[in-house]
Amino acid sequence: MPSNDARILLQAAVPTAAAGAIAAVISGVVVGGKGAVGAIVAAVITILFMGIGLYVLQRTAKSLPHLFQAMGLMLYAAQILLLFIFLAAFKNTTLFHPRAFAFTLVATTLVWIGAQTRAHMKAKVLYVEPDSSAGNKPEKSGHSS
């Protein structure tokens, strides 16, 4: 993963993990141990889903740049759909508090999207990458003056 991509991933994952930790503390105080577990699970799921999505999107941008925008829209729709599936699948679980899980999942997803947007806005990404191996050298002709 190029350094710019890793930097964007880091700038999105750190605030999301911090939001997950805050949610775990709040859920632990309000609901108890199961609330803290639910918040931690939600934060981990968010970081995994969004991190994998960012990786896939960066790979698509490099290999199929003409599909980048469509892939980005499809990817975000798929991520939100998968998060809703997780909410539905774990709504009656006894492993952790489902409401703490749901609220943390929504909150950490919003934090990730905001942090990723901010990271992309601050990144200095070249829209056209210069090719250093060709084009810059003057051509040699057979004529000498």
Side-chain angles (χ1 to χ4, degrees):
M1 182 177 272
S3 65
N4 196 36
D5 298 344
R7 190 176 311 119
I8 290 172
L9 179 65
L10 187 64
Q11 289 176 351
V14 169
T16 304
I22 291 168
V25 169
I26 292 171
S27 297
V29 168
V30 172
V31 182
K34 286 193 175 196
V37 170
I40 291 168
V41 169
V44 168
I45 287 172
T46 301
I47 291 170
L48 283 175
F49 274 23
M50 296 298 187
I52 291 169
L54 181 62
Y55 176 74
V56 168
L57 196 57
Q58 295 300 336
R59 297 270 314 215
T60 301
K62 285 174 184 42
S63 62
L64 302 166
H66 58 284
L67 295 178
F68 179 70
Q69 186 176 16
M71 185 68 169
L73 291 171
M74 193 260 334
L75 184 66
Y76 277 124
Q79 287 173 331
I80 298 300
L81 180 65
L82 284 172
L83 292 175
F84 280 129
I85 290 171
F86 264 85
L87 284 173
F90 289 110
K91 78 177 180 183
N92 293 324
T93 187
T94 57
L95 299 172
F96 49 78
H97 195 269
R99 275 199 142 163
F101 174 75
F103 284 127
T104 304
L105 194 63
V106 170
T108 53
T109 300
L110 292 174
V111 168
W112 179 282
I113 291 170
Q116 183 179 353
T117 301
R118 182 178 184 273
H120 276 293
M121 288 173 59
K122 291 187 143 271
K124 293 181 170 80
V125 179
L126 295 173
Y127 291 101
V128 177
E129 293 186 22
D131 187 13
S132 61
S133 63
N136 293 339
K137 297 178 184 177
E139 290 185 22
K140 291 195 173 194
S141 62
H143 304 291
S144 60
S145 15

